[in-house]
Amino acid sequence: MLFFIIVALEKLKGMSLMKIRQATMDDYDQIMTILKDGANQLAERGVDQWQGDYPSPDQIKEDIEKGFAYLAVSADGETVGAISIVEAPDHSYDDLKGEWLLDTDKYVVIHRVAIHSKHAGHGYATKLLTEVIDYIRDHRKDIDSIRIDTHENNSAMQHLIDKMNFTKVGELHGVYRPDEISYVYENVRE
């Protein structure tokens, strides 16, 4: 299902305009560059997330083919980041160690969020998640729950997820790589 093609993000707390556009196969190399840069940023912070074969080239191609991959574009036309918004069911959560706030099949999952390092520190990650969540709340009345996860040592992403009013609901063990633990969060429609 097409999530949205272009969403103009209104000024948020004095920050500049941003657009989100659905990715095509022409964007594949750019998405891979952004994700590799994200993996490097994580490694520099000592976080072992994305240091193996995830996200894989095949995963990104599948995201694009299914319409799940998006690019974040700044007001000056510069691509600053990438995100995937995956429609249910997402089988990476099949072995959740925990309990969902809402037992539903009407959810989307935010995966593979990355802002390129040359655009870090400008609030783009906050703007991106805020507006994606707001868009889902305002335009996807069929969605009852938004889900997201991150590596147990990715404190920056955990902070961002907490700031977005998600509730930690459990853990994943070995879903992305053997012995890797991810914290899982949910935000339900009120």
Side-chain angles (χ1 to χ4, degrees):
M1 177 191 300
L2 180 64
F3 183 74
F4 55 92
I5 296 180
I6 297 178
V7 176
L9 303 180
E10 300 298 325
K11 288 190 177 186
L12 175 67
K13 298 180 184 173
M15 293 188 245
S16 62
L17 189 70
M18 179 194 298
K19 292 181 181 179
I20 298 173
R21 71 170 180 83
Q22 192 168 36
T24 68
M25 285 309 291
D26 290 340
D27 300 309
Y28 170 80
D29 289 336
Q30 188 169 31
I31 292 171
M32 292 305 294
T33 297
I34 292 167
L35 295 176
K36 180 64 176 165
D37 179 76
N40 291 340
Q41 290 178 64
L42 290 166
E44 288 170 8
R45 293 196 324 257
V47 178
D48 197 29
Q49 186 175 9
W50 293 4
Q51 302 308 304
D53 59 358
Y54 178 88
S56 71
D58 288 342
Q59 177 69 63
I60 302 313
K61 287 176 185 172
E62 182 179 331
D63 282 354
I64 294 169
E65 289 168 357
K66 289 186 174 182
F68 298 161
Y70 295 86
L71 291 171
V73 182
S74 67
D76 60 3
E78 185 99 19
T79 299
V80 299
I83 189 169
S84 293
I85 299 129
V86 177
E87 297 282 336
D90 185 336
H91 296 293
S92 59
Y93 292 138
D94 286 354
D95 294 319
L96 175 71
K97 308 286 189 252
E99 188 173 324
W100 297 112
L101 298 174
L102 186 63
D103 183 17
T104 182
D105 60 355
K106 297 176 182 176
Y107 66 89
V108 294
V109 180
I110 298 172
H111 278 302
R112 297 174 280 288
V113 179
I115 301 297
H116 196 282
S117 60
K118 68 181 181 180
H119 301 287
H122 299 287
Y124 286 124
T126 298
K127 285 192 288 186
L128 179 59
L129 282 185
T130 297
E131 294 303 325
V132 165
I133 292 165
D134 287 349
Y135 183 89
I136 293 166
R137 295 272 179 252
D138 294 343
H139 301 285
R140 291 291 307 272
K141 301 300 184 190
D142 59 314
I143 299 301
D144 295 328
S145 168
I146 304 169
R147 298 172 180 182
I148 192 168
D149 65 85
T150 194
H151 191 279
E152 66 180 327
N153 295 328
N154 190 343
S155 58
M157 189 63 175
Q158 290 168 27
H159 174 74
L160 179 59
I161 291 168
D162 287 341
K163 190 162 75 169
M164 298 292 110
N165 295 316
F166 280 81
T167 301
K168 185 177 175 188
V169 296
E171 297 179 353
L172 298 175
H173 296 258
V175 169
Y176 302 108
R177 289 188 341 192
D179 301 321
E180 184 173 277
I181 297 173
S182 297
Y183 296 155
V184 181
Y185 302 81
E186 185 176 27
N187 184 317
V188 297
R189 183 181 299 278
E190 295 178 11

